[in-house]
Amino acid sequence: MSGSLSMGVEVILTPKSSEMQNTAVQECSTSEEIPNRRKLDFCAVPKSKVLTRDQVPEPQTPVYKGPIISPTGIYVLDRSLGGGLPLSSMIYFSADPRSMAEVFLYEFTQSRKTYYFTTGRRPKYIMRDIINQNLDPSHIVFVDIYSEYYFTPLGDMIDNVGNEYVDSKILEFTEYNLHNIQNDAVDEDINIIFDNFSFFMNLNVNPGLLKRFTNIIYETSKETNSMFYLYSLKGCYDEHIENEVLNASDVIFDVSVDHSCDHVISKLAIPKIRGMVPNSDVLKFKVSEGVQIDTSKDIA
């Protein structure tokens, strides 16, 4: 507070013996015949020089350079988006659990080094699924939230669901890892994936702690050259909590599933992209050795 109070305060010191003060006093005393005229104690501060119209510098208009576009790792998706998404974005990926949309996350890991936070399964099972999709897992660093929460140090599974103390500690553990990642990343381009973020929205903690956690994620995304993907499952949490995260997010992916009489159609919409014009098209996709996106306009 002391620093902010002193900012912008200019102190002008005027020595009593200065020639300027003596001159000002002499000019203000007309003669010895005015005995009651008060002596000036301070010199007048000279008026600042007024610039003419020709001397006033023209205001500089800031130049908007636009966001740095970073590819997602899915070629057809990047092409439909004009190259990718703005770097340092917090991306909320809301998906129907029946859509198998986690394969999008596996594809995202192919674009750059990825820190993969697991909350629903052990990392070894996710690794196996990535390899089964014929994808390269060599650039992935797993952060095993799942085992930290559901297992004892001896490997025994325990029930911590609803335990407010344990839930607050798992948030601290996750924040600690995010802090370390931020320190290690420096200027490196990275992905940070939460699979899934619904786990955190369902923790039995004070809403202020969850809001603080979301703010930390958002701030970390802006302080690093990263893409944050918060993968969530539709219908698993309170709508008010989700709206807070949706509002903070820079990008929103929305995956839904429709059923027709003879087949299932999975659809991807991207209604929000800060810094870019959102893509108004709804894309069909299917999962077969990665994500296969259909760019045709007919989605019926």
Side-chain angles (χ1 to χ4, degrees):
M1 290 298 293
S2 60
S4 60
L5 289 175
S6 62
M7 287 181 60
V9 178
E10 183 178 358
V11 181
I12 302 176
L13 300 178
T14 309
K16 292 183 179 181
S17 60
S18 67
E19 294 180 0
M20 186 180 295
Q21 179 181 355
N22 294 335
T23 302
V25 172
Q26 291 173 4
E27 290 178 353
C28 292
S29 300
T30 56
S31 66
E32 296 179 356
E33 297 177 356
I34 308 177
N36 294 327
R37 172 142 321 171
R38 198 171 82 176
K39 217 178 202 183
L40 291 179
D41 293 326
F42 301 97
C43 72
V45 178
K47 294 182 179 180
S48 58
K49 183 179 179 182
V50 179
L51 298 177
T52 64
R53 180 176 298 179
D54 296 336
Q55 294 174 317
V56 176
E58 295 183 0
Q60 297 295 323
T61 303
V63 178
Y64 177 65
K65 298 181 180 180
I68 299 174
I69 303 303
S70 178
T72 65
I74 303 176
Y75 173 74
V76 177
L77 177 60
D78 290 337
R79 186 177 63 186
S80 68
L81 293 171
L85 296 170
L87 188 63
S88 301
S89 289
M90 187 174 96
I91 303 156
Y92 187 76
F93 197 117
S94 177
D96 188 314
R98 299 168 296 179
S99 65
M100 202 174 167
E102 66 268 15
V103 178
F104 276 91
L105 308 181
Y106 305 159
E107 292 269 17
F108 294 152
T109 66
Q110 303 302 289
S111 60
R112 59 186 66 84
K113 183 178 181 180
T114 300
Y115 294 90
Y116 201 116
F117 287 73
T118 65
T119 65
R121 293 183 293 160
R122 291 178 189 254
K124 64 180 181 180
Y125 302 137
I126 295 176
M127 176 79 79
R128 184 172 63 189
D129 290 342
I130 291 173
I131 294 173
N132 287 341
Q133 291 293 327
N134 199 27
L135 299 172
D136 180 13
S138 62
H139 301 297
I140 303 175
V141 178
F142 286 98
V143 182
D144 191 359
I145 305 296
Y146 176 83
S147 297
E148 185 72 19
Y149 188 76
Y150 292 108
F151 289 89
T152 67
L154 297 177
D156 299 322
M157 184 172 287
I158 54 176
D159 178 15
N160 281 324
V161 176
N163 187 319
E164 186 174 357
Y165 174 78
V166 175
D167 287 3
S168 63
K169 287 299 180 183
I170 204 67
L171 281 179
E172 291 180 12
F173 175 76
T174 308
E175 291 174 8
Y176 172 79
N177 280 278
L178 282 175
H179 179 71
N180 287 340
I181 291 171
Q182 182 176 354
N183 289 338
D184 293 341
V186 193
D187 295 327
E188 182 182 12
D189 289 0
I190 60 172
N191 287 330
I192 299 178
I193 294 176
F194 285 89
D195 180 10
N196 55 68
F197 195 72
S198 303
F199 167 84
F200 296 102
M201 291 192 285
N202 285 323
L203 292 177
N204 182 27
V205 296
N206 186 298
L209 286 178
L210 186 59
K211 179 62 176 176
R212 176 180 180 273
F213 179 60
T214 305
N215 290 341
I216 288 174
I217 291 175
Y218 183 84
E219 293 290 333
T220 304
S221 72
K222 298 299 173 282
E223 296 297 327
T224 56
N225 296 333
S226 62
M227 305 290 279
F228 265 81
Y229 294 95
L230 312 183
Y231 181 67
S232 66
L233 306 176
K234 291 184 176 181
C236 293
Y237 30 75
D238 183 85
E239 183 179 358
H240 172 73
I241 295 175
E242 183 186 33
N243 285 337
E244 290 281 352
V245 182
L246 287 169
N247 182 61
S249 298
D250 301 300
V251 181
I252 296 175
F253 280 28
D254 189 299
V255 172
S256 59
V257 174
D258 289 344
H259 295 266
S260 67
C261 58
D262 56 353
H263 61 284
V264 177
I265 302 174
S266 297
K267 301 176 182 178
L268 168 66
I270 309 176
K272 178 181 180 182
I273 308 177
R274 283 197 183 114
M276 292 175 57
V277 177
N279 190 338
S280 59
D281 296 332
V282 177
L283 305 175
K284 292 188 298 184
F285 72 90
K286 63 180 180 179
V287 175
S288 175
E289 288 194 1
V291 177
Q292 306 294 324
I293 295 179
D294 182 359
T295 58
S296 63
K297 300 299 182 181
D298 181 16
I299 62 170

